[in-house]
Amino acid sequence: MIVVMRRGAEKAEIEHMAQRVESLGLKAHVIVGEERTVIAAIGDKREEMKESLESGPGVAAVMPILAPYKVASREVKPESTQVVVRDLKVGAGSLGVIAGPCSVESEEQLITTARAVKKAGATALRGGAFKPRTSPYAFQGMKEEGLKLLAAAREETGLAIVTEVMSPEDVELVAKYADVLQIGARNMQNYRLLEACGRVDRAVLLKRGPAATIDELLLAAEYVLNEGNQNVMLCERGIRTFEAHTRFTLPLATVPYLHQKTHLPVVIDPSHGTGHAYLVEDMCAASVAVGADGLIIEVHPKPEEAMSDGYQSLNLEQFAHTMAKCRKVADALGIEM
Amino acid sequence: MIVVMRRGAEKAEIEHMAQRVESLGLKAHVIVGEERTVIAAIGDKREEMKESLESGPGVAAVMPILAPYKVASREVKPESTQVVVRDLKVGAGSLGVIAGPCSVESEEQLITTARAVKKAGATALRGGAFKPRTSPYAFQGMKEEGLKLLAAAREETGLAIVTEVMSPEDVELVAKYADVLQIGARNMQNYRLLEACGRVDRAVLLKRGPAATIDELLLAAEYVLNEGNQNVMLCERGIRTFEAHTRFTLPLATVPYLHQKTHLPVVIDPSHGTGHAYLVEDMCAASVAVGADGLIIEVHPKPEEAMSDGYQSLNLEQFAHTMAKCRKVADALGIEM
Amino acid sequence: MIVVMRRGAEKAEIEHMAQRVESLGLKAHVIVGEERTVIAAIGDKREEMKESLESGPGVAAVMPILAPYKVASREVKPESTQVVVRDLKVGAGSLGVIAGPCSVESEEQLITTARAVKKAGATALRGGAFKPRTSPYAFQGMKEEGLKLLAAAREETGLAIVTEVMSPEDVELVAKYADVLQIGARNMQNYRLLEACGRVDRAVLLKRGPAATIDELLLAAEYVLNEGNQNVMLCERGIRTFEAHTRFTLPLATVPYLHQKTHLPVVIDPSHGTGHAYLVEDMCAASVAVGADGLIIEVHPKPEEAMSDGYQSLNLEQFAHTMAKCRKVADALGIEM
Amino acid sequence: MIVVMRRGAEKAEIEHMAQRVESLGLKAHVIVGEERTVIAAIGDKREEMKESLESGPGVAAVMPILAPYKVASREVKPESTQVVVRDLKVGAGSLGVIAGPCSVESEEQLITTARAVKKAGATALRGGAFKPRTSPYAFQGMKEEGLKLLAAAREETGLAIVTEVMSPEDVELVAKYADVLQIGARNMQNYRLLEACGRVDRAVLLKRGPAATIDELLLAAEYVLNEGNQNVMLCERGIRTFEAHTRFTLPLATVPYLHQKTHLPVVIDPSHGTGHAYLVEDMCAASVAVGADGLIIEVHPKPEEAMSDGYQSLNLEQFAHTMAKCRKVADALGIEM
């Protein structure tokens, strides 16, 4: 950490802060500049120290040098993590495709979609049984009934099942049916849920919150990893910005940036990331080109009649077309898909 | 709702959408303009319909006319709600002040703070016992031990107790000790938690998520209200923007805007909203002037030694000074404080 | 336009607004809903009317139905515009690559870069002679001397020259040497400059401002088109968001979105859009895959010694590598490059 | 500056960077940490060096220690600047109020407004003669005719005249009639315009761009100060965020933050900052309480008929009411108004 003292900070203040740094178990290195004095605090204490030092006398700012996450860091584990669940392979050169409806609505709807996405090349089926909805008046999902339909679709198609879990007390139930537990954007910092998912033997798909920084996302992943579960996929699904013509702003630079910082694979969600079906295909192709390790795409046999997210769902034909385009890009760049 | 058709939408598409609107139980009103046709959908079905209509053939956009929240709306209940808990009065002309440390750290720290903030004019004591922390390596709170210290401080000072609850399974425990359940910004859309807080006999302080729109905040409140709990205070604590010189951006216009839309009282948190102790006093005074119904302020006897949020905590003297300034503004404007 | 009246608006208010709409030359269509009355205003008066109506008595909101831009709209001109300047072809299936240093620094630096980017496949050379700098203490460009070096580089390599013009009074001078006038992000709403560029016989590259909406970008283009200059390229170079790990946030969904709204070609600037050289290659490949009509990339023989923007400039070898990757994607998708 | 080397940076890279720092005229101070090495670069070279160092081998990040602005800094001039123009006093304990229509529309409209705002306590009259409009189809202002009406209104009322100048070539003309040259948000980084305003004997009101950081605002002011003009007022008029219920987000914390960083006075524009007339009064009161040095408020005799910005303009009665409320707050806090 670098503690930057205010211009004109008194000698006593500087000494006080240097002692304070030492009392935290770090080594203080005072550097007197022309205009300001800075104190370099050497050692590995990270984030928590920063808060404490900033309110010291004469301090202008504290700048951390080290990233606050540890286990998720590529510095700690240089080789890329690949998450493998049935035929779904995500990371380390493999691009996995997860597709399916926003909500599980009926056996007919689900199995039709499952067959179609499998045929087009997906290796996992998504579908919400527990639905977090902005409004209490909106459809809240089929719950366990929906989980059973998902398991039945897996039975028939062999697709891995990805579904959201909303609360710690549901983790066991959802894990009974699902292969991958999805933690939604709204719950990215629901720490109890993160910990509960860290204690079960299921892969986790952790979605970035729309206002979360990358450091916050990696620290959320760290909550899961810390409990012993190493099968974590990060998911960029768009951030909230002033742009109103898309539902969220989908920053694909997250992919190469995360690849430098962490060994965990990165999945892109162009459905939520754009909020409009007609933008999804091109953003899928771009995601493949930018190096994404996976895609999660909303697909519905009749988007117009979907109980949720119809406006951003591809129909079966559009999905097949999208997959064909993605495969061209993947083949050109030597990505396994 | 207004369904805007694409320029050149075909007659069949327009008829299809008009029928679709009617099949949803609404009355369709087709208006042919010079460049576009729009269909006004009359009736009260709100948000959920919007999603379904947007993916119809020939549709360019769907614009809702009605707000998606109901019970929270001032249209439904024109008179302002006042939340009263012990001596804390929030709303309808009364400004309530909640003050105390970010985290409960020790009996000594807590009781010293409680006495001082009471003396300066606060009527409620805040203090975190369960702490949601961005990093799993940071201090996570004293848990039930902390709750007991809070109850003891109430015993001595009479201050109402405001403390955060992080998970549905903790609601009962926290409600045993606290007067007001705080739902943190990270949990604004943790729907299970909202529902659980809606079912206990405790007032709720609901913090706005840093990327939440006002409609989303009111819909989150609606989850609580819907379960029968009408004692809900909304809290603006800043949003995430590109500004980096403050921890969040604190938009005080939220206060008069919410006062027009909802009958629920609005509390401002200038500590999190700015992230720097030296900005808190002026923003407190501004909050009073803009018409806030309450303030929640972080106060610590020795901010430099705080286990969390020290950089944004006032010390006891600064708090007394801040209260004096706020009282001047409140007196000038006829606000009870 | 749709004028939404407040719940409980009085009959007189509704009548007043209906008359007001008619007095503006529009046809008023009053629709009485269960909770609210709306007035559909039929006719083509667009944006300016909106402002005037919003302050009427009893009005809750005014929602425009028509886009505010006209000449830039694909509804007006369905076929895509292709901008052709020497060997640079941008749009309608052709991907043009503009590459070169942030600032022209010396003959040696420029000609070395020009030769290398041409060899790697670029068809235009960028280079700033007039530099808008955030700080008055930073290098402000070589001015006309720089323009002469650019013209000399064109002489030798045949590359089209793209360079920024900062002020109306410089348009004539810059147009004397350059093939494409670049209007920088800071000047996107410098209307005098837009008009001046609209009156010369040079193609224009108009960069999106970091806080500009897409409608504002298209209206800025409209200022140029309106003066008679139809050779306008739009450039997405990133928007300002809360993300701090990249210099700006580069939303590639802008490309398919703009392709639907306008016939003008869309160029991506991954150098400014990310602000880090190591993110540029992947974002270039993604830009090609998403359907961009052009790329503008900062390249410098020795980024470490660049007088500006070194941290986001590719060196000559990195640029050649990037071009090879882009070409693979372009070939796979049938894009001419 | 602090140059942070990558984990595992080689000794040669560290030495190279240390030499590079020295070659820039700074003193290099190498500090070897447990995980990383950092190089403290001592001396005053600021921003421009940063760019150059970031692309060095083995460099992870470069963190500036010193603010990039100089003349605007309170470190350089500790006492607050007061701008005085006729009866308008802004800064150093005095709150100046500038009020008037968005656009000058007619003699009648202007003089009616001028008399009313003067009576209510304003000491300066605003009014746009040259109007920067998002759309080329919107009203562009009365130009010199409008300037003459402004001068006539000054003649009668004694109010100081504040009006926008859009282009360097208009500076002389506008300065002929106006007391204060307003540089609009869209032109905050129009450096030629800043320089031109820096060379005339008129006070300058510099508006913050909606995506500009505070450092960028201060550097823009520095362009004016640098030319010799010290009468600069900064104006916060809202930033662009994801919030859509207000036109912009108005961060009042800017006031105490700027007061710490600069000696220049800070004016708040609650009209543009909220975009809705009904939010202006409360935000004016809050601006006074937070310590603003001035207010600039849009006022129109008949907002419903205004040619621009009617939805955010107060009528004459609302303005008088707003002023009365502001005066109460100012009196309570000992602010001269």
Side-chain angles (χ1 to χ4, degrees), chain B residues 96-331:
Chain B
V97 177
I98 305 160
C102 175
S103 301
V104 178
E105 295 169 11
S106 72
E107 187 180 350
E108 164 71 11
Q109 170 241 24
L110 192 65
I111 197 67
T112 309
T113 310
R115 284 179 199 142
V117 300
K118 175 164 178 144
K119 197 175 152 209
T123 50
L125 178 67
R126 61 152 292 155
F130 291 92
K131 297 299 305 169
R133 302 305 301 274
T134 304
S135 165
Y137 311 121
F139 174 58
Q140 308 275 325
M142 290 181 74
K143 316 232 159 98
E144 188 168 1
E145 207 47 51
L147 294 175
K148 286 179 183 166
L149 294 178
L150 285 165
R154 172 177 54 202
E155 201 63 30
E156 188 189 316
T157 61
L159 292 166
I161 298 302
V162 181
T163 196
E164 178 159 358
V165 56
M166 282 174 61
S167 204
E169 67 261 34
D170 297 339
V171 169
E172 205 182 336
L173 176 69
V174 177
K176 201 173 125 190
Y177 297 98
D179 299 296
V180 179
L181 304 179
Q182 176 180 317
I183 298 173
R186 292 174 180 88
N187 279 316
M188 192 201 85
Q189 293 187 312
N190 183 337
Y191 301 120
R192 294 291 169 79
L193 178 60
L194 294 169
E195 288 164 351
C197 290
R199 287 190 294 262
V200 291
D201 182 25
R202 288 288 174 277
V204 168
L205 181 75
L206 175 62
K207 290 194 149 191
R208 180 183 184 184
T213 64
I214 293 291
D215 275 11
E216 288 168 348
L217 172 61
L218 287 171
L219 283 166
E222 200 99 344
Y223 267 94
V224 181
L225 297 166
N226 226 18
E227 298 290 329
N229 189 343
Q230 303 304 309
N231 281 311
V232 176
M233 296 171 270
L234 305 172
C235 179
E236 173 63 83
R237 40 76 77 204
I239 58 172
R240 200 148 242 174
T241 73
F242 70 86
E243 293 221 298
H245 65 281
T246 45
R247 191 173 171 195
F248 292 96
T249 296
L250 187 57
L252 293 184
T254 301
V255 176
Y257 181 82
L258 274 172
H259 280 171
Q260 212 204 37
K261 297 294 171 194
T262 182
H263 53 87
L264 298 174
V266 185
V267 175
I268 295 291
D269 176 349
S271 305
H272 287 86
T274 64
H276 296 291
Y278 76 94
L279 298 173
V280 170
E281 178 174 309
D282 287 336
M283 288 303 277
C284 282
S287 301
V288 177
V290 91
D293 303 299
L295 289 169
I296 179 163
I297 305 172
E298 290 193 340
V299 180
H300 194 286
K302 295 184 186 166
E304 200 193 348
E305 292 172 17
M307 297 179 79
S308 55
D309 282 4
Y311 50 93
Q312 69 190 28
S313 298
L314 301 184
N315 65 30
L316 306 182
E317 195 184 354
Q318 290 167 330
F319 179 69
H321 197 268
T322 296
M323 288 298 281
K325 186 166 189 174
C326 288
R327 201 168 291 112
K328 282 183 198 168
V329 178
D331 288 349

Side-chain angles (χ1 to χ4, degrees), chain C residues 11-268:
Chain C
K11 220 183 141 205
E13 290 174 332
I14 294 165
E15 274 167 20
H16 171 91
M17 288 312 297
Q19 276 165 25
R20 183 119 182 79
V21 162
E22 301 259 347
S23 79
L24 293 168
L26 301 161
K27 237 165 81 184
H29 202 111
V30 177
I31 305 163
V32 181
E34 279 178 31
E35 296 199 20
R36 285 175 191 270
T37 294
V38 303
I39 303 170
I42 320 272
D44 179 6
K45 292 289 169 130
R46 303 187 187 213
E47 201 59 6
E48 58 270 46
M49 301 291 93
K50 185 171 174 284
E51 296 190 5
S52 162
L53 292 169
E54 273 191 0
S55 46
V59 175
V62 176
M63 304 187 299
I65 299 294
L66 301 176
Y69 45 88
K70 296 175 187 175
V71 195
S73 170
R74 195 176 277 277
E75 293 191 345
V76 168
K77 175 172 178 286
E79 61 284 357
S80 298
T81 291
Q82 188 178 60
V83 173
V84 183
V85 184
R86 295 173 182 263
D87 293 339
L88 176 70
K89 275 196 225 169
V90 175
S94 287
L95 181 90
V97 178
I98 304 161
C102 175
S103 301
V104 178
E105 296 169 8
S106 71
E107 187 180 351
E108 163 72 11
Q109 169 240 25
L110 191 66
I111 197 66
T112 309
T113 310
R115 282 179 198 140
V117 301
K118 172 159 181 148
K119 198 177 151 205
T123 49
L125 177 68
R126 62 153 289 155
F130 291 91
K131 296 300 304 170
R133 301 306 301 273
T134 304
S135 165
Y137 312 121
F139 173 59
Q140 308 274 326
M142 290 179 74
K143 315 236 160 96
E144 189 169 0
E145 206 48 50
L147 294 175
K148 286 180 184 168
L149 293 179
L150 286 164
R154 173 177 54 203
E155 200 64 29
E156 186 189 319
T157 61
L159 291 167
I161 297 303
V162 181
T163 196
E164 179 160 358
V165 56
M166 282 174 63
S167 204
E169 68 262 33
D170 297 338
V171 168
E172 205 182 335
L173 175 69
V174 176
K176 199 174 124 190
Y177 296 99
D179 299 294
V180 179
L181 304 179
Q182 177 180 317
I183 298 173
R186 293 174 180 86
N187 279 316
M188 192 201 85
Q189 294 187 312
N190 183 336
Y191 301 121
R192 294 290 169 80
L193 179 60
L194 294 170
E195 289 165 350
C197 290
R199 287 192 291 263
V200 290
D201 181 26
R202 287 288 175 275
V204 168
L205 181 76
L206 175 62
K207 290 195 149 191
R208 179 183 185 184
T213 63
I214 293 291
D215 274 12
E216 289 169 347
L217 172 61
L218 288 170
L219 283 166
E222 201 98 345
Y223 268 93
V224 181
L225 297 167
N226 229 15
E227 298 289 330
N229 189 342
Q230 304 304 308
N231 280 312
V232 176
M233 297 172 269
L234 305 172
C235 179
E236 171 65 84
R237 42 73 80 204
I239 59 172
R240 200 148 241 175
T241 74
F242 70 86
E243 293 221 297
H245 65 281
T246 45
R247 190 173 171 196
F248 292 95
T249 296
L250 186 58
L252 293 185
T254 301
V255 176
Y257 181 82
L258 274 173
H259 280 171
Q260 214 204 37
K261 297 293 171 194
T262 183
H263 53 87
L264 298 173
V266 185
V267 174
I268 296 292

Side-chain angles (χ1 to χ4, degrees), chain A residues 208 214 243 245 257 278 328, chain C residues 208 214 243 245 257 278:
Chain A
R208 179 182 183 185
I214 293 291
E243 293 222 296
H245 65 281
Y257 180 81
Y278 75 93
K328 281 183 198 168
Chain C
R208 179 183 185 184
I214 293 291
E243 293 221 297
H245 65 281
Y257 181 82
Y278 76 93

Side-chain angles (χ1 to χ4, degrees), chain D residues 66-129:
Chain D
L66 302 175
Y69 45 88
K70 297 176 186 173
V71 195
S73 170
R74 197 177 276 278
E75 293 189 347
V76 168
K77 172 172 180 289
E79 61 285 356
S80 298
T81 290
Q82 187 179 60
V83 172
V84 182
V85 184
R86 297 175 180 261
D87 293 340
L88 175 71
K89 274 197 222 168
V90 175
S94 287
L95 180 90
V97 178
I98 304 160
C102 175
S103 301
V104 178
E105 297 169 9
S106 71
E107 187 180 350
E108 163 73 13
Q109 170 241 25
L110 192 66
I111 196 69
T112 309
T113 309
R115 285 180 197 138
V117 301
K118 172 155 183 155
K119 198 178 151 204
T123 48
L125 176 68
R126 60 152 290 156

